[in-house]
């Protein structure tokens, strides 16, 4: 099942990434009145949790530095209802998927089947301990197949993300530390240049690197030690293991059918860079 979860992550992630890489979602959120990309990001992604304080969003998202959520929550909801942001996010993301795929693939029986099977998996897993996934489960599943595929893929992404947070907490790896290890795993050096953290204050990044050195996870040059690489790989393996339960709902034949249906969809999105 670990292999199953990894394969599904590879197939579904390009569908989810249109929300962050393509223009339509950001345009929909800007039309609502969100002033910046990050206002729209925090407002629309956190909205399924309800009007929770920034501290809760920070805890659930996990990977953002202290204070980043508070710059957007709750101010992003003060004049724009969370429900409106959720709707705009879905509408824009589905429009991006349709544009990239083209009508022939977007309207194909294969996409409808992919949407149905992805939804079956996405609506079957236990919600206990899965804060972001549980929030997504409270939303209505769209009727339109393209929107339903994006919505269910995103539910599964949040389910996986909740498990990833659990794996990081168990390994005592904080959010910024996780970005450092991810950067090193991708061959990025120095890891402080990674796009998700390069904007943070140098003093803050230096403290994170010092902490990783003290634990023996990076060396004096800011590269993986053997222990650091093993920790990063262990977290990823556990993330895959924890991401597997939704696919228990699918028979082996259904899983094979889902993979076959998703492959041309994913290939088109990857070719376009999900943009």
């Amino acid at each position: 099942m670990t292999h199953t979860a990894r394969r599904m992550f590879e197939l579904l992630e390009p569908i989810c990434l249109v929300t962050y890489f393509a223009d339509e979602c950001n345009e929909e959120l800007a039309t609502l009145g969100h002033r910046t990309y990050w206002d729209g990001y925090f407002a629309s992604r956190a909205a399924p949790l309800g009007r929770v304080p920034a501290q809760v969003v920070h805890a659930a998202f996990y990977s953002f530095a202290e204070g980043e959520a508070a710059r957007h929550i709750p101010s992003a909801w003060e004049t724009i209802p969370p429900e409106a942001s959720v709707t705009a996010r879905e509408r824009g993301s589905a429009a991006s998927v349709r544009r990239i795929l083209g009508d022939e693939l977007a309207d194909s029986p294969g996409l409808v089947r992919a949407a149905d099977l992805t939804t079956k998996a996405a609506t079957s897993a236990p919600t206990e301990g899965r804060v972001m996934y549980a929030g997504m489960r409270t939303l209505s599943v769209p009727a339109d197949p393209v929107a339903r595929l994006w919505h269910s893929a995103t539910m599964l992404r949040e389910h996986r993300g909740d498990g990833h947070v659990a794996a990081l907490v168990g390994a005592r790896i904080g959010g910024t530390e996780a970005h450092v290890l991810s950067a090193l795993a991708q061959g990025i050096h120095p890891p402080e240049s990674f796009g998700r953290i390069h904007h943070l204050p140098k003093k803050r990044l230096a403290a994170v690197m010092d902490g990783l050195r003290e634990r023996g996870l990076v060396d004096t040059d800011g590269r993986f030690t053997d222990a650091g690489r093993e920790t990063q790989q262990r977290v990823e393996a556990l993330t895959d293991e924890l991401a597997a339960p939704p696919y228990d709902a699918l028979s082996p034949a259904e899983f094979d059918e889902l993979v076959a249906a998703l492959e041309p969809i994913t290939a088109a999105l990857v070719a376009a860079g999900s943009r």
Side-chain angles (χ1 to χ4, degrees), residues 17-41 44 80 84-97 99 275:
L17 289 180
V18 300
T19 304
Y20 313 108
F21 292 171
D23 292 333
E24 286 90 342
C25 181
N26 195 43
E27 289 170 353
E28 290 279 358
L29 292 167
T31 298
L32 276 183
H34 290 298
R35 300 165 300 168
T36 68
Y37 170 89
W38 289 110
D39 275 351
Y41 172 90
S44 61
I80 303 167
S85 295
V86 167
T87 300
R89 182 182 191 230
E90 176 192 301
R91 185 168 56 244
S93 299
S96 295
V97 174
R99 171 180 55 79
R275 297 180 184 276

Side-chain angles (χ1 to χ4, degrees), residues 36-94:
T36 68
Y37 170 89
W38 289 110
D39 275 351
Y41 172 90
F42 277 93
S44 61
R45 186 180 170 213
L49 301 179
R51 292 178 181 267
V52 297
Q55 294 93 327
V56 174
V57 176
H58 173 72
F61 284 17
Y62 195 74
S63 61
F64 288 88
E66 192 71 40
E68 288 192 310
R71 285 199 286 273
H72 309 279
I73 300 296
S75 61
W77 293 333
E78 287 175 353
T79 58
I80 303 167
E83 298 79 9
S85 295
V86 167
T87 300
R89 182 182 191 230
E90 176 192 301
R91 185 168 56 244
S93 299

